[in-house]
Amino acid sequence: GAGVSQTPSNKVTEKGKYVELRCDPISGHTALYWYRQSLGQGPEFLIYFQGTGAADDSGLPNDRFFAVRPEGSVSTLKIQRTERGDSAVYLCASSLGGNGANVLTFGAGSRLTVL
Amino acid sequence: AQTVTQSQPEMSVQEAETVTLSCTYDTSESDYYLFWYKQPPSRQMILVIRQEAYKQQNATENRFSVNFQKAAKSFSLKISDSQLGDAAMYFCAYRSNFGNEKLTFGTGTRLTIIP
């Protein structure tokens, strides 16, 4: 596609529920990143995929968070047993590769609200 | 670990005037990239300008330019002839050219344009 697409745009859920957030990167982009942006803060790194594999998942806060990218394109961020503190905007970005020179293109994010 | 600091939570400027946003960073690396991203209320992060650390010449993009001081680890953004559409959150970001290619963001500066 022309840009990075994220769905849903907004998600409201109850504490303890399971949530999936989807990211459709730019066609041909091998690198994909997930970030979390809490209110009034800068984006915080969660996980980076190069192709199908997670090259760096050091930013995932705990084992309730998991992400997959089975075919090296679309990625899904999965959050189990959601907590109120998980409320944030989840941003996805993609780039041609993981090299530092490659520019990240961001999607518009998915706003998650946990009641 | 690299850190990025933006010490101005909010800035305002009169339309058509010039404003400078500050950013400092900490790293032990010599090869890296620095970025300024703009985030309007639509949430999508938009790349404003990029600087390669090994280039001494400051990057410019139309009304946007940077003052990159490598020894001082300073990377400020100058916006000339400010326009109403420049109102947004501005984030400074660092990206290594070795190993982990994630972007590390500062906490942002909210820029208001006064008509």
Side-chain angles (χ1 to χ4, degrees):
Chain A
V4 177
S5 175
Q6 291 189 247
T7 54
S9 178
N10 290 283
K11 175 71 176 179
V12 180
T13 191
E14 293 180 343
K15 181 176 177 294
K17 299 290 188 182
Y18 170 80
V19 167
E20 288 190 352
L21 306 176
R22 175 189 168 107
C23 174
D24 199 343
I26 291 173
S27 178
H29 280 193
T30 60
L32 186 146
Y33 305 78
W34 283 100
Y35 284 80
R36 178 169 70 175
Q37 186 176 20
S38 300
L39 191 63
Q41 301 295 315
E44 294 179 302
F45 170 77
L46 294 177
I47 187 168
Y48 154 54
F49 288 91
Q50 183 60 253
T52 59
D56 181 358
D57 64 357
S58 63
L60 294 177
N62 51 58
D63 60 6
R64 295 187 299 105
F65 287 75
F66 190 70
V68 295
R69 194 185 186 199
E71 297 177 357
S73 178
V74 172
S75 175
T76 304
L77 179 65
K78 308 180 180 193
I79 310 173
Q80 298 177 323
R81 304 183 304 280
T82 52
E83 300 176 356
R84 292 195 179 87
D86 298 335
S87 296
V89 173
Y90 290 82
L91 296 168
C92 177
S94 69
S95 69
L96 274 172
N99 180 276
N102 291 308
V103 173
L104 272 66
T105 301
F106 284 81
S110 293
R111 181 183 298 280
L112 175 65
T113 302
V114 182
L115 301 177
Chain B
Q2 293 81 21
T3 58
V4 178
T5 302
Q6 293 181 251
S7 59
Q8 306 156 313
E10 297 185 356
M11 291 282 285
S12 61
V13 63
Q14 207 80 27
E15 192 176 2
E17 295 297 309
T18 295
V19 65
T20 299
L21 308 183
S22 301
C23 173
T24 59
Y25 59 96
D26 189 25
T27 184
S28 59
E29 298 175 335
S30 59
D31 192 6
Y32 51 87
Y33 294 82
L34 296 165
F35 304 83
W36 279 98
Y37 276 88
K38 168 184 176 181
Q39 187 178 42
S42 66
R43 296 197 311 238
Q44 186 152 15
M45 301 284 273
I46 302 165
L47 178 66
V48 174
I49 199 164
R50 177 179 71 167
Q51 175 76 44
E52 299 164 81
Y54 59 85
K55 286 190 175 179
Q56 293 188 341
Q57 186 173 6
N58 289 323
T60 63
E61 286 287 343
N62 300 314
R63 297 182 295 107
F64 299 87
S65 61
V66 298
N67 183 2
F68 173 49
Q69 301 290 327
K70 191 172 184 179
K73 294 179 183 174
S74 171
F75 182 61
S76 61
L77 174 69
K78 185 170 84 170
I79 306 174
S80 303
D81 185 26
S82 298
Q83 301 176 0
L84 293 177
D86 295 334
M89 284 290 293
Y90 285 81
F91 292 96
C92 179
Y94 172 101
R95 192 180 191 197
S96 171
N97 204 25
F98 298 102
N100 190 338
E101 298 85 1
K102 69 182 183 184
L103 275 174
T104 300
F105 287 89
T107 52
T109 297
R110 181 176 301 281
L111 179 64
T112 301
I113 310 297
I114 303 166

